């Protein structure tokens, strides 16, 4: 305003005031003046406030004082209305505005809400409700600029807005404008389909529907049980320039009207314009004060422009070959004579070397040629060029693309009286192209930049793969360079039709000559140049699958629009993909479960091991290595990309556009598994076809290939994982069952038995690893404890009985000192420092006998000990000779009954660099109460086995949780074992011999445990207990974690271990006490796991960081591994126990469903994690409150197996007659009452011997979510 020399404030300077008026004084009618007692009234102008929340009324009393502080950008043509909160607050205004809006709805098909955010939301809602009563089909457009996408969404949902008004002219940069095109409509070509990979079905050819269910380019529809809806923006009405904003001349340049109009026409949304834009009117026209009329232009018949036919044009007989880069001797050789003879180029005055070459009849275009400059072969990088079939780059000479009707393309002076003014001549054609693209379903959109001011928009048809390309050089700013250096533009297919080739220029002289007409509205007189061919701007070359355009002249404000269709090779590739998909089921038909582990998973370490270091997991630029080398690696990234709003910036999408290396990798890696050759051939065939299709569509096609293969393999393996998994369609069970595959695979460095692997091959010795990636290879792969905690869920429930049998017998062969090894190390150098692994092993044998078709037959399976008993048995202890598995079990039981005491083999730094010397001394036995006990203060023989390693914090060699004494879970596992054996006729032994030449039957041992357990382990709420030191109690109503620990307070710590005992030996627990303990166990529950220590404990440290190099003893080097972090696998036992005690036999349907709902509510986040985490698994542990732990395995076998076991327990208990009740297809032996049913028969049934067959309870329908 200062530059325009505006005047002072006041009515006399209206329109020229230095600052806008905020208030307006109006003269009242006599009636109104009489009513209010004064002749005039002052009203406040409406407007907008920078940064103001759209949902707040800036005129309401508030501390911001908008009018007083002059924060308002006032609109001088309207006033602010005070509506109040309801019609009664201002009846006249509500009624008047409603009547006006309803009258408009009765006349017009649509209503535009100008500055919709300036009207209170509740008022708009009220008025639009009346509008829709009058005209239910009225379309509501809204100009909405709240500055906040969430607030926009609030308005859209509250008011039912059909489309938002958007404006191309209100963008500050060409890239911002191109971003508008991307977001305002259309489906981006190449976007991965919306259906998650695991739900994908084989695509089917389109029949009678247009682009059914899919959102990106392909010949095929996406077939799935459901199609997720993607979040999308509200529909848009895109204007080139609206009535109340500045013109292109005022904001950018006058010539930018043409490129803006072209880009708007290229959009996939409704479009609009304002009169005066096409005529190049330089100044904003006020809809309030403008009184002049428009000139009525003579509009010619533009049918020839709207539907131009491509003419072949004359075939050139002579071509000019030019070398502009100097030299002494320049020759040329080309395809015009099959590269036979040299053509000599003569120098011209300007320094160029030139020659005209005659083209014989039948010359194939494009003609390829090359220069020989001073005896060196060269090509000219400034001229059109292409790569031949051998990979050589040559220059090319192209036949003209075609021409438009000559009468329509003559250069014209814009604004001349004899022609259509402004850009109307081209604008009509652009509008017709826009309409045609919409009507014929060119719904896919790709937007790219050749330069900051050069935008390429491609509209693509998803079924016939034809396209229309807009190449637009904008004129946001003045740039006199008409020949910018631009990269070659590659277009898929070939150009079939030229629609528009036009350049608009409005020079300074033309702008200076412009004068406003006082009676007519006129615009600038410029030059609109229409060209017949693309040759004026670029040279083009057509290959088999693509066309290249090399621009040599592209002035500002140039628009090129042409049509394309796929080349012959692309059409054949689409047909070939039909056949590829038909062969998918046959390709996966013979995939075994072990093959599936390699095909779907194989982490980085496993892949390097299998390939002998030749490769790891595939690395995506900008992302790094995928978590798996197998299909799940890319599928997880594609699932993430398909749900991302900014999917086009996703690293894997960009990578797939750049090339087809990922598919080639997936196929090539299968060479290591000959059994997977059918899938390798299938992938290579698919890759061959996709490589011939446009790269822009490659992400979609690659996603479809990989996702369909992934889904087909998943369906195939699920159907081969036993009746329980095969018949259960819930995402939770499917996710858990598939996750079990991750852990059971074959790697050369981590076999079960090294000697057998050398003879039979490593691929014949698969094993169950503990977790990925840290425990995937070498001696760290196979842990006895982890294996047998996970085995029931990972192998037995998934019907993999042979694998379970092999695993049990492999560990049985290396039993030593009556213990199963903790670390197996391929049976070469096993380490025996775990007291609990043996009892989980015994539990798995029981589970196998109950669940597998073989039943107790495994007990007679031959076993040859790698370390014969004679080499390690204690003096005075008579152990049985080992010939079969039952003998191994008896050796274990007898060794514990007699007492185990030995020093670890090879004790010292070579096997444990942190442990202090006494820690290598291993003891275990059975005390007078029947409890299995063991350990000392310097070793950690249970799963809570963190050994300190920090010198700085002085915890090296000190176990954080020694748990020496009788551990509650080991007592429960031992009880489950002796109870089972006491009634098992097939077991050849009836008890054990004690040291004092006494014997104890398994039945007696079982009864002794039942009598002793709660006397020693229960911590009552009333404080009255025989073996309870109240001074040590932190929490009552729980069971002790240990009995007899050297540090007495450790006995009383609240940990989740008692729930393991509850699940496998429920007869040890009084139901009412168990329920109290389970309720208190909720204090340990986290989002995914259970805290390993009650948060109220002084030793609680909930966040584990193994790299903590601090001075705090409690956390240094991760010493708090089991002092609070939330482990997942104990949750499985907790849920099993909770269900058994809260839904006992005889519970009614209501109690059953309540118990089921409780369990499934806890597992809700696990289901989400399984399908969202790139590992498609469950982690080892989390930090406090479910926070991510970077030092945890992201995929852990026992986490997956124990939770699958929990879901199975719930399913089979609620419906014991279901075919899902037994993994072996109905073999479940039911439940035996403890000791033949003579004790605790009213308590919860045996939970350790497989499915809980509760025959008395009425069956309820249930399918876990």
């Amino acid at each position: 305003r200062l530059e325009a020399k505006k005047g002072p404030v006041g009515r006399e300077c209206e329109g020229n005031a230095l600052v806008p008026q905020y208030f307006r004084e109006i003269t009242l009618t006599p009636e109104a003046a009489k009513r209010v007692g004064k002749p005039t009234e002052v009203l406040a102008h409406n407007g907008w406030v920078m940064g103001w929340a759209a949902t707040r009324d800036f005129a309401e009393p508030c501390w911001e004082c908008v009018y007083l502080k002059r924060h308002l950008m006032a609109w001088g043509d309207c006033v602010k209305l005070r509506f109040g909160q309801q019609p009664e607050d201002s009846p006249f205004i509500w009624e008047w505005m409603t009547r006006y809006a309803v009258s408009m709805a009765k006349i017009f098909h649509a209503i535009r809400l100008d500055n919709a955010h300036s009207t209170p939301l509740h008022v708009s809602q009220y008025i639009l409700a009346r509008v829709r009563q009058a005209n239910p089909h009225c379309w509501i457009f809204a100009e909405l600029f709240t500055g906040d996408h969430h607030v926009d969404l609030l308005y859209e949902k509250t008011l039912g807005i059909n489309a938002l008004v958007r404006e191309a002219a209100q963008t500050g940069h060409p890239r911002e404008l191109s971003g508008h095109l991307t977001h305002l409509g259309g489906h981006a070509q190449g976007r991965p389909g919306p259906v998650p990979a695991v739900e994908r079905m084989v695509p089917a050819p389109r029949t009678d529907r247009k682009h059914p269910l899919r959102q990106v380019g392909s010949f095929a529809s996406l077939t799935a049980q459901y199609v997720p809806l993607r979040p999308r923006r509200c529909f848009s009405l895109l204007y080139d320039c609206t009535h109340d904003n500045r013109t292109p001349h005022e904001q950018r340049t006058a010539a930018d009207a043409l490129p803006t109009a072209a880009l708007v026409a290229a959009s996939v949304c409704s479009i609009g314009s304002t009169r005066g834009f096409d005529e190049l009117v330089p100044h904003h026209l006020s809809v309030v004060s403008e009184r002049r009329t428009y000139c009525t232009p003579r509009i010619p018949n533009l049918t020839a422009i709207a539907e131009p036919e491509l003419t072949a044009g004359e075939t050139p007989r002579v071509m000019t070959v030019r070398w502009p880069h100097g030299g002494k001797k320049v020759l040329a050789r080309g395809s015009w004579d099959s590269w036979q003879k040299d053509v000599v180029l003569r120098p011209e005055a300007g320094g160029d070397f030139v020659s005209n070459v005659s083209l014989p009849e039948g010359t194939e275009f494009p003609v390829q040629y090359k220069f020989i400059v001073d005896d060196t072969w060269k090509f000219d990088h400034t001229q059109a060029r292409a790569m031949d079939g051998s990979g050589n780059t040559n220059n090319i000479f192209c036949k003209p693309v075609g021409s438009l009707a000559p009468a329509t393309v003559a250069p014209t002076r814009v604004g001349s009286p004899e022609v259509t003014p402004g850009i109307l001549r081209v604008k009509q054609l652009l509008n017709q192209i826009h309409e045609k693209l919409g009507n014929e379903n060119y719904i896919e959109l790709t937007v790219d930049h050749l330069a900051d001011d050069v935008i390429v928009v491609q509209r693509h048809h998803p079924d016939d793969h034809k396209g229309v390309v807009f190449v637009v050089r904008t004129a946001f700013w003045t740039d006199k360079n008409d020949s910018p250096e631009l990269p070659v533009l590659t277009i898929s297919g070939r150009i079939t039709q030229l629609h528009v080739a036009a350049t608009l220029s409005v020079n300074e002289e033309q702008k200076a000559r412009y004068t406003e007409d006082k009676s007519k509205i006129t615009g600038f007189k410029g030059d609109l140049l229409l060209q017949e061919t693309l040759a004026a701007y670029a040279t083009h070359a057509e290959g088999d699958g693509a066309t290249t355009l090399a621009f040599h002249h592209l002035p500002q404000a140039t628009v090129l629009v042409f049509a394309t269709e796929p080349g012959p090779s692309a059409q054949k590739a689409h047909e070939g993909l039909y056949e590829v998909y038909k062969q998918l089921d046959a390709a996966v038909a013979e995939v075994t479960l072990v093959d599936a582990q390699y095909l779907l998973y194989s982490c980085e370490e496993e892949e390097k091991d299998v390939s002998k270091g030749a490769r790891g997991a595939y690395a995506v630029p900008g992302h790094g290595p995928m978590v798996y080398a197998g299909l799940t690696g890319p599928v997880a990234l594609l699932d993430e990309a398909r749900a991302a709003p900014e999917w086009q910036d996703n690293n894997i999408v960009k990578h797939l556009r750049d090339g087809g290396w990922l598919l080639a990798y997936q196929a090539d890696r299968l060479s290591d598994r000959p059994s997977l050759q059918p899938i390798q051939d299938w992938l290579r065939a698919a890759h061959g076809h996709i490589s011939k299709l446009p790269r822009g569509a490659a992400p979609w096609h690659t996603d479809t290939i990989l996702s369909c293969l992934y889904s087909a393999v998943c369906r195939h393996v699920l159907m081969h994982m036993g009746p329980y998994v095969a018949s259960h369609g819930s995402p939770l069970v499917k996710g858990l069952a598939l996750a079990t595959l991750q852990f059971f695979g074959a790697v050369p460095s981590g076999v079960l038995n090294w000697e057998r692997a050398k003879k039979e091959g490593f691929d014949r010795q698969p094993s169950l690893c503990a977790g990925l990636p840290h425990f995937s290879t070498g001696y760290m792969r196979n842990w006895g404890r982890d294996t047998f905690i996970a085995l029931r869920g990972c192998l037995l429930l998934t019907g993999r009985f042979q694998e379970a049998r092999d695993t049990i017998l492999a560990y049985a062969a290396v039993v030593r000192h009556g213990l199963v090894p903790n670390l197996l190390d391929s049976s070469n150098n096993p380490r025996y420092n775990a007291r609990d692994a043996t009892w989980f092993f015994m539990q798995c044998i029981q589970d196998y006998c109950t669940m597998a078709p073989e039943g107790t037959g495994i007990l007679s399976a031959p076993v040859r000990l790698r370390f014969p008993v004679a080499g390690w048995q204690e003096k005075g202890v008579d152990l049985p000779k080992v010939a079969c598995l039952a003998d191994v079990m008896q050796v274990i039981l007898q060794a514990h009954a007699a007492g185990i005491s030995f020093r670890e083999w090879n004790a010292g730094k070579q096997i444990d660099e942190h442990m202090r010397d006494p820690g290598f001394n291993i003891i275990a036995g059975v005390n007078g109460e029947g409890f299995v006990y063991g350990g000392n203060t310097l070793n950690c023989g249970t799963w809570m086995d963190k050994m300190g390693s920090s010198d700085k914090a002085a915890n090296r060699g000190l176990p954080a949780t020694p748990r020496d004494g009788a551990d509650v879970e080991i007592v429960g596992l031992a009880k489950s074992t002796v109870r089972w054996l006491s009634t098992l006729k097939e077991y050849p032994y009836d008890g054990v011999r004690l040291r004092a030449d006494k014997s104890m039957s398994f039945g007696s041992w079982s009864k002794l445990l039942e009598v002793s357990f709660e006397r020693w382990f229960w911590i009552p709420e009333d404080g009255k207990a025989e073996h309870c030191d109240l001074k040590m109690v932190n929490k009552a109503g729980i069971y002790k974690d240990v009995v007899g620990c050297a540090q007495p307070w450790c006995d009383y710590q609240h940990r989740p271990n008692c729930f393991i005992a509850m699940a496998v030996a429920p007869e040890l627990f009084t139901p009412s006490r168990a329920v109290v303990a389970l309720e208190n166990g909720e204090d340990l529950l986290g989002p995914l796991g259970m805290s390993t220590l009650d948060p109220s404990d002084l030793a609680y440290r909930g966040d584990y960081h193994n790299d903590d190099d601090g001075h705090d003893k409690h956390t240094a080097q991760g010493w708090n591994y089991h002092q609070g972090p939330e482990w997942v696998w104990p949750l499985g036992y907790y849920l099993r126990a909770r269900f058994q005690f809260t839904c006992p036999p005889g519970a009614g349907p209501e109690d059953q469903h309540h118990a089921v709902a409780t369990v499934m509510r806890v597992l809700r986040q696990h289901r989400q994690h399984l399908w969202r985490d790139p590992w498609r698994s469950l982690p080892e542990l989390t930090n406090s409150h479910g926070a991510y732990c970077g030092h945890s395995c992201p995929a852990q076998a026992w986490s997956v197996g124990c939770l699958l076991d929990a879901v199975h327990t719930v399913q089979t208990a609620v419906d014991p007659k279901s075919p899902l009740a037994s993994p072996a297809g109905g073999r479940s032996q039911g439940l035996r009452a403890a000791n033949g049913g003579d004790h605790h028969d009213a308590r919860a049934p045996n939970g350790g011997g497989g499915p809980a067959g509760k025959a008395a309870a009425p069956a309820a329908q249930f399918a876990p979510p």
Side-chain angles (χ1 to χ4, degrees), residues 869-889:
V869 173
W872 51 263
Q873 68 178 345
E874 300 285 335
K875 293 182 179 180
V877 177
D878 187 17
L879 299 178
K881 294 181 180 180
V882 173
C884 62
L885 180 61
D887 298 332
V888 174
M889 296 170 63

Side-chain angles (χ1 to χ4, degrees), residues 782-791 811 820-823 833-838 840-841 940-945 1129 1198:
N782 298 308
W783 296 70
R785 175 192 300 119
D786 299 63
T787 294
F788 295 110
I789 291 175
L791 186 139
Y811 276 88
V820 166
N822 186 19
L823 275 171
N833 62 331
R835 303 195 311 276
D836 56 352
T838 301
F840 282 110
F841 168 78
C940 30
T942 72
W943 74 277
M944 293 184 166
D945 57 355
W1129 75 269
W1198 58 16

Side-chain angles (χ1 to χ4, degrees), residues 325-370:
H325 304 296
K328 295 179 180 179
K329 179 183 177 182
V330 180
L331 307 174
R333 195 177 292 183
S335 62
W336 51 73
D337 65 351
S338 300
W339 303 85
Q340 295 300 312
K341 296 181 179 180
D342 292 338
V343 174
V344 179
L345 277 64
R346 307 296 181 187
E348 290 185 336
D352 291 359
F353 288 79
V354 181
S355 181
N356 291 324
V357 178
S358 298
L359 301 178
E361 187 74 27
T363 298
E364 293 186 3
F365 290 88
V367 177
Q368 297 200 26
Y369 62 98
K370 212 158 190 173

